[in-house]
Amino acid sequence: MATSISARLIYYAKLSKPRIIWLLDLAALSGAFLSGKLMPLNIIAVLIGGTLASAGSMIINEGIEIDKDKVMKRTSKRPTVMGYVSQKEAIYVGVALLTLGTLAGLLDNLLTSFFILLGGLVYVLIYTVWLKPRSPLNIVIGGLAGSAAAWAGFASTTSSFTISSLLLGLLIFMWTPGHFWALALKFKEDYSRAGIPMLPVIMSETFSAKMIAVSNALMIPFALALSIYSGIVYGIVAAVLSAIQMYFSIRLMKNPTGEEAWRSFKFSSPYLAILLILIIITRLI
């Protein structure tokens, strides 16, 4: 078994789920720019703190869920499952990173640190430990972890929590269920083998597709409301992208299969990313 420092860094990089972290960092960055205040040192601090805390939370999650990951094809090759990183080591390292990230938030202000910690605790304690093994609402409440990233970013440059930051957080909160329910519909058998009660596991494909469409529809007003702060160009792009997202949702309702769910899932990530990037660009201009 490889034990070199470089090998362990690679293992932990994989466990940290960088594809999720970059979206959380983008949420924090959009929150910071939404305030209209360009404060580079504050933004760097919240990105460092958020990245460390997010990585730590993901690593704790995979330390806790080794037994579930073993039976899911999608997760069966993770370093924790393969034995390269033990459960105890993953949890210890994850807690250390979450703590460091929270402390890094203090370089900005107490509110930033609070939101960084809130995101980690929601993901680890409320989502991973409490709701994920027990309730199909797991990913609904778990969406607050993404909202907290945006709120931390906004707080980093303002030391405040306002209507505009609330709307950004609610956009991410409402985006999360439709995104992850589509993934769960695609990998329904995986989640079923692991005993995880994701919505598509305990309900029919037809009902799950309707709930994905409802979640996406409820997300759109928050996406459009942010045009109040980000301008007409953002509003037009948000409207077009939202229409496309609903197109995929309607297709999924008409044909509730894993393949259609995968199409909806694959579009939802760039949907959110483009909106977050537009917020940054419009506020810069």
Side-chain angles (χ1 to χ4, degrees):
M1 184 182 297
T3 57
S4 68
I5 293 176
S6 60
R8 303 208 75 72
L9 288 175
I10 291 172
Y11 297 150
Y12 281 111
K14 291 179 179 179
L15 290 173
S16 68
K17 301 181 183 178
R19 285 183 294 180
I20 295 179
I21 287 180
W22 85 266
L23 195 56
L24 292 171
D25 283 347
L26 190 59
L29 199 58
S30 67
F33 279 93
L34 183 63
S35 71
K37 298 179 180 180
L38 183 58
M39 303 175 68
L41 293 180
N42 294 59
I43 293 172
I44 291 171
V46 75
L47 289 177
I48 292 173
T51 297
L52 290 173
S54 297
S57 302
M58 303 296 176
I59 292 168
I60 295 170
N61 167 276
E62 287 165 308
I64 292 171
E65 296 192 329
I66 291 176
D67 291 339
K68 292 182 175 64
D69 286 343
K70 285 180 181 177
V71 299
M72 297 177 66
K73 292 180 180 179
R74 190 172 60 88
T75 59
S76 61
K77 300 299 182 182
R78 285 175 174 169
T80 42
V81 176
M82 301 300 290
Y84 301 138
V85 176
S86 70
Q87 182 177 61
K88 183 181 292 186
E89 182 184 340
I91 292 174
Y92 284 168
V93 170
V95 169
L97 291 174
L98 177 55
T99 302
L100 286 173
T102 302
L103 292 175
L106 290 174
L107 295 173
D108 285 335
N109 52 67
L110 185 60
L111 189 59
T112 299
S113 181
F114 167 75
F115 281 130
I116 289 174
L117 179 60
L118 176 66
L121 293 181
V122 166
Y123 188 77
V124 172
L125 298 181
I126 296 179
Y127 172 66
T128 301
V129 176
W130 180 29
L131 290 177
K132 191 174 181 180
R134 296 177 176 86
S135 171
L137 294 178
N138 49 31
I139 202 62
V140 177
I141 308 302
L144 280 173
S147 303
W151 294 335
F154 189 86
S156 71
T157 55
T158 65
S159 301
S160 66
F161 180 75
T162 68
I163 294 296
S164 59
S165 62
L166 175 63
L167 288 173
L168 179 59
L170 289 175
L171 165 62
I172 297 169
F173 179 77
M174 293 308 307
W175 168 86
T176 305
H179 177 74
F180 285 101
W181 281 339
L183 177 68
L185 183 53
K186 167 64 175 176
F187 295 101
K188 178 178 179 178
E189 297 304 319
D190 252 3
Y191 284 104
S192 180
R193 279 194 298 271
I196 300 173
M198 297 297 287
L199 183 69
V201 172
I202 65 171
M203 303 300 291
S204 69
E205 288 87 351
T206 300
F207 181 82
S208 298
K210 288 179 180 178
M211 289 301 99
I212 291 169
V214 168
S215 176
N216 287 336
L218 291 175
M219 166 189 70
I220 292 173
F222 298 108
L224 297 179
L226 284 165
S227 62
I228 297 171
Y229 307 96
S230 299
I232 189 169
V233 173
Y234 165 88
I236 292 171
V237 175
V240 172
L241 292 178
S242 296
I244 296 172
Q245 183 67 76
M246 288 310 301
Y247 165 74
F248 283 112
S249 297
I250 293 170
R251 282 187 53 151
L252 180 57
M253 283 196 297
K254 291 181 177 180
N255 183 29
T257 63
E259 290 71 25
E260 284 294 345
W262 188 242
R263 292 187 182 96
S264 178
F265 172 80
K266 293 293 285 184
F267 180 76
S268 60
S269 284
Y271 169 89
L272 182 62
I274 292 170
L275 293 186
L276 296 177
I277 291 169
L278 272 175
I279 290 172
I280 295 168
I281 293 172
T282 55
R283 299 304 284 174
L284 271 174
I285 295 173

